[in-house]
Amino acid sequence: MVTDRMDKREKITKALEGRSVCREGSLSFSCLEIALTLRAGESVEGCFVIMGEDGISLMGAVLSSDVRMHCLLPHFTGNPVEIPYRFDSRGLDEGDLIRGEFKVISSQGEYTLPW
């Protein structure tokens, strides 16, 4: 029987490099999607929570697909973990619709959270 002795940092490094990572469990999120309504030139902050299986500590990174959505905690450890973000609408016009996603690369696999 082969055991996975790779530490969590090594797993995240491998995932960020596009190499395969063995999952120990699964993640769930406090929301299925983030929806925001702002006026042109405004910014807003919020957060979402990442939860893993009981007793399993999480480690990972969160990336955004658009520079207007800033992840304020790009690396995380713990369980559960609150991930704060800020969306900045400067440069957008009234009525513009922006879609994107957070990519969560963790010791429990890769996930996306649309916004």
Side-chain angles (χ1 to χ4, degrees), residues 4-15:
D4 184 12
R5 292 195 171 112
M6 188 181 342
D7 71 7
K8 290 181 182 180
R9 283 191 197 278
E10 189 176 350
K11 287 180 183 179
I12 292 169
T13 300
K14 286 180 75 168

Side-chain angles (χ1 to χ4, degrees), residues 43-92:
S43 66
V44 66
E45 292 186 5
C47 66
F48 61 93
V49 178
I50 301 172
M51 299 155 284
E53 295 178 12
D54 287 341
I56 297 177
S57 183
L58 307 174
M59 178 181 264
V62 181
L63 308 167
S64 176
S65 63
D66 190 291
V67 296
R68 287 185 172 87
M69 179 65 91
H70 304 274
C71 179
L72 302 177
L73 183 67
H75 298 92
F76 62 88
T77 58
N79 185 10
V81 181
E82 186 174 282
I83 307 294
Y85 59 82
R86 179 185 308 121
F87 186 86
D88 187 351
S89 68
R90 283 183 288 175
L92 298 175

Side-chain angles (χ1 to χ4, degrees), residues 15-61:
L16 289 170
E17 292 172 351
R19 298 184 287 166
S20 65
V21 176
C22 180
R23 284 190 190 187
E24 294 176 5
S26 62
L27 298 183
S28 58
F29 296 83
S30 58
C31 58
L32 298 176
E33 180 179 41
I34 296 170
L36 306 170
T37 303
L38 292 92
R39 292 187 180 132
E42 286 185 331
S43 66
V44 66
E45 292 186 5
C47 66
F48 61 93
V49 178
I50 301 172
M51 299 155 284
E53 295 178 12
D54 287 341
I56 297 177
S57 183
L58 307 174
M59 178 181 264

